[in-house]
């Protein structure tokens, strides 16, 4: 697998995870609907900051492992791929629906930004997920880990901005697409689960073969 193919797989994984309706998406929509587009974009920026911290955490973990305990790198890759596959299967079995988007209780754009960042940062599952994901895509055989990590962090932030920022700008229409439209959100979750499962299988195969 080439480096470009590796990045495309990472983007596929990112898109599949971020597009699934969840707490971050609802938080952005609530702020945009309650206080306008600027508040929704402020919440998006906070979530992007939290995502950047997760990216740094994942990159540091992989870098330390590759440097200090390289013998454990491949086992972590395998465990991470199996964990991603489990998440994918869980999403395929789930029925994700959005019943309503309540009003945001933030009083300023700064508070929307801060709470978006804090909500993202205190989620332990996000750290576990990044530690499982990064060994699949941050590979020493593609060159220095620092530039690779910077590219992946930029891709993460860009994907978050495109999806969450787009929802903030088109909040009214986005709410109509999500709230009460169970069939659409269920299929979004299941398709994302299928993508996640496919990516995990491909990266597991590449890792074992390497």
């Amino acid at each position: 697998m080439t480096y470009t193919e590796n990045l495309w797989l990472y983007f596929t994984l990112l898109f599949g995870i971020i597009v699934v309706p969840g707490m971050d998406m609802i938080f952005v929509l609530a702020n945009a609907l309650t206080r306008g587009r600027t508040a929704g974009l402020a919440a998006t920026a906070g979530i992007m900051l939290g995502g950047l911290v997760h990216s740094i955490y994942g990159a540091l973990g992989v870098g330390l492992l590759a440097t200090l305990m390289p013998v454990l790198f491949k086992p972590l890759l395998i465990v991470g791929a199996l964990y991603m596959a489990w998440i994918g299967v869980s999403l395929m079995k789930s029925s994700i629906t959005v019943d309503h988007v309540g009003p945001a209780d933030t009083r300023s754009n700064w508070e929307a930004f801060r709470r978006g960042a804090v909500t993202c940062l205190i989620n332990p599952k996000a750290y576990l997920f990044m530690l499982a994901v990064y060994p699949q895509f941050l590979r020493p055989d593609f060159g220095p880990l620092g530039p690779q990590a910077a590219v992946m962090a930029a891709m993460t932030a860009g994907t978050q901005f495109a999806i969450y920022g787009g929802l903030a700008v088109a909040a009214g229409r986005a709410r109509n697409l999500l709230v009460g439209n169970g069939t659409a959100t269920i299929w979004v979750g299941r398709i994302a689960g299928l993508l996640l499962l496919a990516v995990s299988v491909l990266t597991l195969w590449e890792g074992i073969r390497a």
Side-chain angles (χ1 to χ4, degrees):
M1 179 166 56
T2 66
Y3 181 55
T4 301
E5 292 170 341
N6 183 69
L7 288 180
W8 272 111
L9 278 178
Y10 181 65
F11 172 73
T12 301
L13 171 70
L14 268 181
F15 185 83
I17 290 298
I18 295 175
V19 78
V20 175
M23 291 181 60
D24 289 345
M25 185 177 290
I26 300 303
F27 182 72
V28 170
L29 271 179
N31 277 276
L33 290 168
T34 303
R35 300 185 46 253
R37 294 176 180 176
T38 303
L41 290 172
T44 299
I47 292 169
M48 289 169 62
L49 176 61
L52 176 61
V53 174
H54 293 317
S55 297
I56 294 172
Y57 171 83
L60 287 176
V62 172
L64 288 174
L65 191 65
T67 302
L68 302 177
M69 294 178 289
V71 69
L72 295 179
F73 191 83
K74 182 171 283 189
L76 179 62
L77 185 151
I78 294 172
V79 171
L82 293 174
Y83 177 65
M84 287 198 302
W86 176 76
I87 295 176
V89 172
S90 299
L91 282 174
M92 290 169 65
K93 292 181 177 179
S94 66
S95 296
I96 299 171
T97 58
V98 180
D99 296 326
H100 71 284
V101 178
D105 55 357
T106 55
R107 293 183 295 273
S108 66
N109 294 339
W110 165 246
E111 186 177 359
F113 171 82
R114 179 176 55 82
R115 287 187 55 186
V118 170
T119 300
C120 189
L121 287 171
I122 64 175
N123 184 357
K125 291 182 180 179
Y127 289 99
L128 180 61
F129 182 75
M130 292 306 295
L131 193 57
V133 166
Y134 262 57
Q136 321 302 315
F137 301 98
L138 194 62
R139 306 282 188 84
D141 48 311
F142 288 139
L145 297 182
Q148 290 186 60
V151 171
M152 291 168 64
M155 290 176 67
T156 301
T159 306
Q160 288 176 320
F161 180 75
I163 295 176
Y164 296 147
L167 290 174
V169 171
R173 292 182 180 179
R175 177 178 58 183
N176 294 336
L177 288 174
L178 291 174
V179 177
N181 195 355
T183 301
T185 54
I186 287 171
W187 276 106
V188 166
R190 290 178 179 174
I191 292 172
L194 181 61
L195 287 174
L196 189 57
L197 179 61
V199 170
S200 66
V201 170
L202 284 172
T203 56
L204 178 61
W205 168 251
E206 288 288 337
I208 292 176
R209 190 175 64 175

